[in-house]
Amino acid sequence: MRILIAGANGKIGRHLVRLLGESDHVCRAMVRDPSQEWELRRRGADEVVVADLEGDCRAALITCDAVVFTAGSGPHTGPEKTVDVDQNGAINLIDLAREMGVPRFLIVSSMRADDPDSGPKKMRHYFVAKQNADNHLRASGLNYTIVRPGKLTEEAGTGRVRMAERINEFGEIPREDVAAVIRAALDHPGTSKREFDLISGDTPIDEAVAALD
């Protein structure tokens, strides 16, 4: 597959670029800043395209078989930017993927996105933005996968996770493990039109993904 990563220069995106670069897939990294191209190619990107999620991204989607949306506004931006990127940027790319005939779309959401009121009040705008993007993807007709990780950390991945349609207790997970789950999910038919919460656990990633069948 030729896989477009939206948010390729983000913390999850950079791990995913490396993992896809080691695979037989073609990794196409999407960035806003052309100066990021060299670093992403060094990490393993086969192709780099410059595009803005808030604009027309059609050219980035040409010949793609799948899209991974792992872009985010970051923790230090206000609610308006969260809506612009995490919600509207995702919705824009979902609509363009459908228009361009890209069948597969995997989105990195968040635990509590399915119940924004369950999270801290200061984070509810973020959970609502993620919820709106997830709902739009579900209704799009695309072959979707929604990954809802817990609190993201910078620790090295363990290769072991806990994943289920709903995990009641909030937990943490290294970004590297999230990227590895995405990598596995892209190749596994059992993730088709599925969604799941994701935190660190005891089950090897390939085994956890295969258990979704």
Side-chain angles (χ1 to χ4, degrees):
M1 293 187 290
R2 174 172 275 104
I3 301 167
L4 177 71
I5 305 176
N9 198 49
K11 293 181 178 180
I12 293 174
R14 290 195 293 267
H15 286 299
L16 185 58
V17 165
R18 174 181 57 80
L19 292 171
L20 289 179
E22 296 168 355
S23 74
D24 293 332
H25 298 303
V26 176
C27 175
R28 178 179 289 177
M30 176 175 154
V31 296
R32 285 186 301 174
D33 185 351
S35 69
Q36 297 165 347
E37 178 173 355
W38 182 87
E39 174 61 20
L40 289 170
R41 287 192 181 275
R42 188 187 70 80
R43 287 180 177 272
D46 300 291
E47 303 169 355
V48 177
V49 293
V50 179
D52 188 341
L53 280 171
E54 299 173 56
D56 188 342
C57 303
R58 286 178 180 86
L61 291 161
I62 292 172
T63 71
C64 284
D65 302 292
V67 175
V68 176
F69 185 94
T70 183
S73 59
H76 304 301
T77 58
E80 295 82 7
K81 195 62 178 176
T82 298
V83 171
D84 287 343
V85 177
D86 297 80
Q87 175 181 301
N88 296 341
I91 288 172
N92 181 46
L93 198 59
I94 291 164
D95 288 345
L96 291 174
R98 182 174 54 190
E99 178 185 326
M100 297 289 290
V102 181
R104 186 85 164 92
F105 202 107
L106 190 150
I107 193 168
V108 178
S109 181
S110 174
M111 289 183 73
R112 295 180 172 151
D114 57 345
D115 185 12
D117 290 339
S118 68
K121 186 174 182 179
K122 66 180 181 180
M123 291 290 292
R124 285 181 192 168
H125 68 280
Y126 172 76
F127 298 133
V128 169
K130 290 294 190 184
Q131 181 185 58
N132 290 338
D134 294 349
N135 287 341
H136 194 79
L137 180 56
R138 291 186 192 100
S140 69
L142 297 173
N143 178 4
Y144 69 84
T145 304
I146 300 171
V147 181
R148 296 190 297 260
K151 182 180 178 181
L152 300 168
T153 73
E154 292 301 309
E155 296 175 10
T158 67
R160 294 178 176 269
V161 298
R162 178 183 175 193
M163 52 196 298
E165 187 170 328
R166 182 66 183 265
I167 299 174
N168 290 325
E169 59 271 27
F170 196 78
E172 298 183 347
I173 185 166
R175 289 177 171 87
E176 186 174 10
D177 281 337
V178 177
V181 167
I182 295 168
R183 166 69 185 88
L186 284 164
D187 277 339
H188 203 284
T191 62
S192 175
K193 296 194 174 180
R194 299 292 295 271
E195 52 192 276
F196 48 85
D197 290 347
L198 176 66
I199 58 176
S200 292
D202 299 321
T203 306
I205 287 172
D206 287 343
E207 184 179 326
V209 172
L212 292 174
D213 282 345

